[in-house]
Structure formats: C-alpha cells, structure tokens
Amino acid sequence: MLFDTHAHLNAEQYDTDLEEVIERAKSEKVERIVVVGFDRPTITRAMEMIEEYDFIYAAIGWHPVDAIDMTEEDLAWIKELSAHEKVVAIGEMGLDYHWDKSSKDVQKEVFRKQIALAKEVHLPIIIHNRDATEDVVTILKEEGAEAVGGIMHCFTGSAEVARECMKMNFYLSFGGPVTFKNAKKPKEVVKEIPNDRLLIETDCPFLTPHPFRGKRNEPSYVKYVAEQIAELKGMTFEEIASITTENAKRLFRIN
Ligand SMILES: [Zn+2]
Ligand SMILES: [Zn+2]
C-alpha cells in the first residue's frame, strides 16, 4: 500500500481523464492521496474531491508565489474549512524566491499567518520551499511551528537542514527528483533520514519521476519514488511502502 502525501489532482491537467488517473493509482495500490489546494479555485476543488472519494484527503493553504493575493477573508475561509474531518493539514505554505510575483516580505507575512492559523486549529503544516531554506527554517523556529510539526514537501535540502527540521517535528517527503539520474545530493540525504520520518509524494502534475520525466505526473508514479528509496536504503519496496504509509497516517491522524 502506498500513500501519495502531495498531489494536485485538483489541477486542470486532470480535467479530461481524472477517473483513469485514479484507476491507475488504485491498480498500483496507492491507498490514500492528499490533494493540496493553494488558492481559491484549487481549495474549492479539493473540498469537493474529499466528498467524492473516500481515499482522498485535503491540505488547504495559500501558496507563497501567490501570497500577494491572499486576503483576511481567504484566511478566515481556510480556517472555517479546516474543521472538516478530512482536511488533514494546512498548506502548502512557505517561501518561494524563484518567482517574484510576491515580494519576500509579503511571502513571509502570509507564511507566518498560516503557521499561527495551523496552531490555532491544531493541524500539521505542509511547507513549500524554493531557494529560501534559511528564511524558512528561521520562520518555523520563530513561530514555534514544532507545536504542530508537518512536512517539508519535495525535500531537496542537506542532511543538516533535515536534522533541524526533524527537531521541530517535521517529516521529510521525497518526490520525483530523488529518482533523477543526476540527483546525487537527495540520494545521499535519503539514506540519512530515519525511517520514521520518511514520506513519499508525487507533487503531480509536476516533478515526474524517472523514467517518465518530462511527462505529466500522476499518483500511480509514486511507486517509482518508493522503489528508489528502497534501493538507496537497502530495503524492500514493501517495507518502504508500509513504513511511509504508517508515517503519513500517524502525521495526518488517519486510522
Ligand atoms: Zn510546492
Ligand atoms: Zn504542490
């Protein structure tokens, strides 16, 4: 059984063939999927999907790239929706310095507000970090994020950063990039992560793992991530599948 902890099945890329994508996930034993909403349309769609599919859960938050668009009403709306029993995390949230649509200051403010919200509603957080590791870690510390913990999604940082995050009750989630031929660092880092902090994800439709790199990603491909991690850790696929699924259930409090 596999657990894809980060999927955007609410994206328009699945408008025409969602049912087939879901069937393929099921035939590859993807038992549960967290669909991540990060703005008004994608959160709305994620909330619909958790009603339609018993094996789908939602994480809802505001993406740092669009931080400039988030209003107080949006934040209140996320808080209200988070009371749903199948909303299992707040996010994705964080900092993304690759794009400059939202200034760093705005991104930081929106990030801090969402950590505070997650603490209020007692839900773990899902962190998006691109080219902003130092500021992300500083803000997590300053805001006391260890009270809720969560996930560093699509983790590509160093073992040292991983250790700092684990001290704050975070799990490290690995996706397609760990399967890339030239991904020396993530492959080394995976070996150093204790089994009880490991998660897997697709971040589909993006970051498609080898051997489908460049094509649209989907939850059934999470098996390639599990296979790669199993190989790196010298464990069986079944062991990694079971460990990462148990970790996800524990973090998201799913029975
Ligand atoms: Zn992300
Ligand atoms: Zn994402």
Side-chain angles (χ1 to χ4, degrees):
M1 297 295 186
L2 295 161
F3 194 137
D4 184 354
T5 62
H6 195 115
H8 298 285
L9 288 181
N10 46 354
E12 60 184 8
Q13 283 89 336
Y14 303 103
D15 279 355
T16 58
D17 65 345
L18 180 65
E19 287 311 316
E20 285 117 88
V21 168
I22 283 177
E23 278 315 306
R24 282 196 292 275
K26 285 190 156 174
S27 65
E28 294 294 347
K29 304 263 189 310
V30 181
E31 187 189 49
R32 294 174 204 268
I33 301 170
V34 170
V35 169
V36 181
F38 53 71
D39 60 12
R40 282 261 170 187
T42 59
I43 290 172
T44 302
R45 181 71 187 121
M47 296 305 293
E48 286 167 10
M49 294 183 83
I50 58 178
E51 301 292 349
E52 284 168 43
Y53 303 96
D54 59 352
F55 55 91
I56 289 182
Y57 298 80
I60 56 172
W62 212 267
H63 202 283
V65 169
D66 303 315
I68 186 106
D69 301 326
M70 195 193 80
T71 64
E72 287 302 319
E73 288 73 39
D74 293 324
L75 198 63
W77 179 62
I78 291 169
K79 181 177 176 183
E80 194 186 307
L81 296 179
S82 73
H84 193 295
E85 60 173 1
K86 291 181 80 188
V87 172
V88 293
I90 303 295
E92 56 189 294
M93 63 173 82
L95 301 174
D96 190 319
Y97 292 169
H98 181 76
W99 305 105
D100 59 6
K101 176 182 169 185
S102 305
S103 72
K104 290 184 180 179
D105 283 347
V106 168
Q107 289 192 36
K108 287 177 183 173
E109 192 192 327
V110 166
F111 185 19
R112 288 182 193 275
K113 281 182 180 170
Q114 292 187 84
I115 298 171
L117 167 65
K119 289 169 74 176
E120 239 180 280
V121 299
H122 306 289
L123 283 175
I125 58 182
I126 296 180
I127 305 300
H128 172 103
N129 164 29
R130 192 163 181 193
D131 306 335
T133 303
E134 221 186 291
D135 287 353
V136 165
V137 170
T138 301
I139 289 176
L140 290 176
K141 277 185 193 158
E142 286 178 0
E143 297 297 326
E146 87 253 18
V148 287
I151 302 175
M152 306 303 290
H153 115 79
C154 201
F155 188 73
T156 52
S158 66
E160 194 191 335
V161 171
R163 280 192 290 274
E164 273 197 86
C165 295
M166 288 189 282
K167 266 190 237 159
M168 291 188 280
N169 297 321
F170 278 80
Y171 289 68
L172 294 311
S173 181
F174 292 86
V178 79
T179 69
F180 298 166
K181 297 258 176 229
N182 56 357
K184 277 219 176 84
K185 192 171 79 173
K187 288 191 202 319
E188 286 309 309
V189 171
V190 161
K191 295 184 200 166
E192 306 217 12
I193 308 296
N195 291 338
D196 64 355
R197 293 304 184 96
L198 264 181
L199 295 173
I200 53 174
E201 65 171 77
T202 54
D203 200 18
C204 66
F206 315 110
L207 299 174
T208 312
H210 177 79
F212 296 111
R213 192 175 180 181
K215 305 239 167 62
R216 184 189 68 174
N217 199 359
E218 60 174 63
S220 67
Y221 296 168
V222 80
K223 73 168 178 180
Y224 297 107
V225 178
E227 277 170 5
Q228 177 70 80
I229 292 177
E231 193 191 316
L232 290 165
K233 288 216 163 228
M235 296 169 74
T236 65
F237 174 81
E238 287 73 22
E239 283 170 328
I240 289 299
S242 141
I243 285 167
T244 52
T245 296
E246 287 311 310
N247 290 345
K249 285 184 175 176
R250 184 168 64 249
L251 171 68
F252 293 131
R253 291 176 230 137
I254 294 170
N255 301 317

